[in-house]
Amino acid sequence: MKRILIVDDEINICTLLSRFLGKHGFKTESTMTGAQALKMLKETPFDLILCDYRLKDTDGAQLLNDIRALSPQTVVIIITGYSDVRIAVDMVKNGAYDYISKPLYPDEILALVNKALENPGSPAPQPAQAAPAAPAADAPHRPQPSGGTQNGGQYVYGESEPSRQLIRELTLVAPTDYSVIIFGETGTGKESVAHLIHDHSSRKSQPFIAIDCGALSRELAASELFGHEKGSFTGAIGTKIGAFEQAHGGTIFLDEIANLPYDVQVALLRVIQEKQIRRVGSMKEIAVDVRLIVASNENLFEAVQKGKFREDLFHRFNEFTIHIPPLRERGDEDLRSFVDAFLSQAGKELNKPEAALSEEVWECFRNYDWPGNIRELKNVIRRASLLTPAGKEISMAALPLEMKAGKMMRQPAAAVPETAPADQQDEPNLPLLDDNDLKSVALKAEYNKIINVLKEVKYNKTKAAQLLNIDRKTLYNKLRLLNINY
């Protein structure tokens, strides 16, 4: 059995590559530092080393020299980022067998490893991914889901480093059958990431079923997930097939998993363990084969510590974790990509020429926090495109109230008159409301209260509705009335 050493400073990469190559008949070990890699090589011979070029304690060039000095017969493949491709080519000239560029694709890695071990003495005639001939070739290859395009279609990808890291993790875990937890704020695109994982798995031809756990009542959650038999409870006028049965052979995506009732968590744990479900009102066990992807906009580990979420269920889900960065952390390049794509989509939806942003609006977009993230940006673009006449630039007048208010709140403190009461200094300015009109004052108070509660619960609408003592439907109606796009 061939022995492979994986050297990468990211534990997720080490774990995934180790398990993937282990399933294909290789004996694998991993480490996160160059020093430890050399120590392991002194103690145990390895046939091949997969080594990331950039490590915390050394770089690939130095490590390659050290490996060749210790074990000249060991094959070395360099893992490199796109900015390091030319360096990797030089390393191939200096003794590395080949290099492979990020993001990593398991099938590509397997093919290269097999090729290297079959012909360890001769370098590969072609690098795993050719060095770019032009700057445009530096853009990362992105996964192409069925029915989607890179930009302007069903999916839009960013160019920032957080976006590249997201794509890298996604393409690594997609071909596996691991359960995945997706963390991200409201509106960051957790369901889109889940779709991409499904579309690049062996289950892509099977169903993808998405369930919003925050919308499930305690009484009907089991029925929605596992189904029920006719007459099993009041209102069960027919047999219902639950989400797990519908997703058989495919993927089930459970959004806002932290909001799942505790007793349903117990039933879900059993389903994961036994791979069988039992409809409400039935004694018959039904086998199900599904891949689980769950999402949460709150820290599940903290929920476990508070007793709100079962620890054993958390560990069942936690085979791999993906964090989606919020829009405000993805930089101007990503923001511009999303804006351009959504402007194009809005133009097609409205059957009118694609609008452009005025400089003032672009500056507002750049400085805005985007608490609703990509979903909020898309809604703002669609609204502004509708309000802007054909051939005109989108102006500040087309933006929703909370963006204008947010823009004003970020003015320097000196801009606030000294005579203004302290409580008014933090109050958003809603220019279209008349302070002398009682109804306007009430709407302004509702607006402020809802905004503050949403911030307090990190824009989790289920929790916000609970704190406001209203149901989710009422909250959504108020968000629509007050034009709050979270």
Side-chain angles (χ1 to χ4, degrees), residues 53 60-61 64-65 68 75-80 84-101 112 121-131:
Y53 174 72
L64 174 64
N65 291 334
R68 289 184 61 78
V75 179
V76 179
I77 295 175
I78 302 297
I79 302 172
T80 177
D84 303 322
V85 165
R86 289 175 179 83
I87 298 173
V89 172
D90 291 336
M91 293 181 66
V92 171
K93 294 177 181 177
N94 291 330
Y97 177 83
D98 202 350
Y99 73 87
I100 189 165
S101 297
L112 183 57
S122 57
Q126 294 290 336
Q129 294 186 19

Side-chain angles (χ1 to χ4, degrees), residues 92-291:
V92 171
K93 294 177 181 177
N94 291 330
Y97 177 83
D98 202 350
Y99 73 87
I100 189 165
S101 297
K102 302 172 185 175
L104 304 176
Y105 295 89
D107 291 343
E108 183 181 349
I109 291 173
L110 180 62
L112 183 57
V113 166
N114 285 330
K115 186 177 180 182
L117 292 174
E118 287 172 3
N119 304 286
S122 57
Q126 294 290 336
Q129 294 186 19
D138 286 345
H141 171 72
R142 298 172 177 83
Q144 287 298 302
S146 56
T149 58
Q150 287 190 15
N151 283 301
Q154 184 181 355
Y155 297 91
V156 182
Y157 302 92
E159 300 293 336
S160 66
E161 184 55 37
S163 296
R164 290 173 183 262
Q165 177 64 21
L166 174 62
I167 295 170
R168 179 188 185 190
E169 293 180 353
L170 188 153
T171 51
L172 271 173
V173 77
T176 73
D177 215 22
Y178 289 6
S179 295
V180 180
I181 301 179
I182 303 173
F183 288 111
E185 296 179 6
T186 295
T188 48
K190 296 186 287 293
E191 185 168 346
S192 294
V193 169
H195 263 292
L196 281 168
I197 293 172
H198 173 74
D199 284 340
H200 286 79
S201 71
S202 59
R203 299 173 180 266
K204 61 185 177 183
S205 60
Q206 300 300 320
F208 176 92
I209 304 296
I211 296 291
D212 181 1
C213 297
L216 298 179
S217 67
R218 181 181 300 275
E219 294 76 17
L220 295 179
S223 172
E224 290 294 324
L225 293 174
F226 313 129
H228 65 249
E229 297 291 344
K230 180 179 179 180
S232 56
F233 55 86
T234 303
I237 58 177
T239 298
K240 175 184 175 64
I241 296 177
F244 273 82
E245 277 189 83
Q246 295 175 42
H248 181 65
T251 302
I252 186 165
F253 172 60
L254 303 178
D255 198 6
E256 293 193 33
I257 188 68
N259 294 318
L260 201 64
Y262 199 84
D263 52 345
V264 180
Q265 293 178 29
V266 177
L268 183 57
L269 177 63
R270 181 182 179 279
V271 170
I272 297 172
Q273 290 173 336
E274 305 297 332
K275 299 188 182 300
Q276 292 181 329
I277 61 102
R278 184 187 299 167
R279 294 176 187 165
V280 176
S282 172
M283 298 299 293
K284 180 182 177 182
E285 300 283 359
I286 301 173
V288 290
D289 172 28
V290 297
R291 181 184 193 173

Side-chain angles (χ1 to χ4, degrees), residues 5-6 29-46:
L5 176 61
I6 299 158
E29 295 185 43
S30 63
T31 179
M32 298 172 64
T33 66
Q36 181 64 24
L38 294 174
K39 182 179 178 182
M40 294 171 70
L41 185 59
K42 289 177 182 177
E43 297 172 353
T44 307
F46 287 93

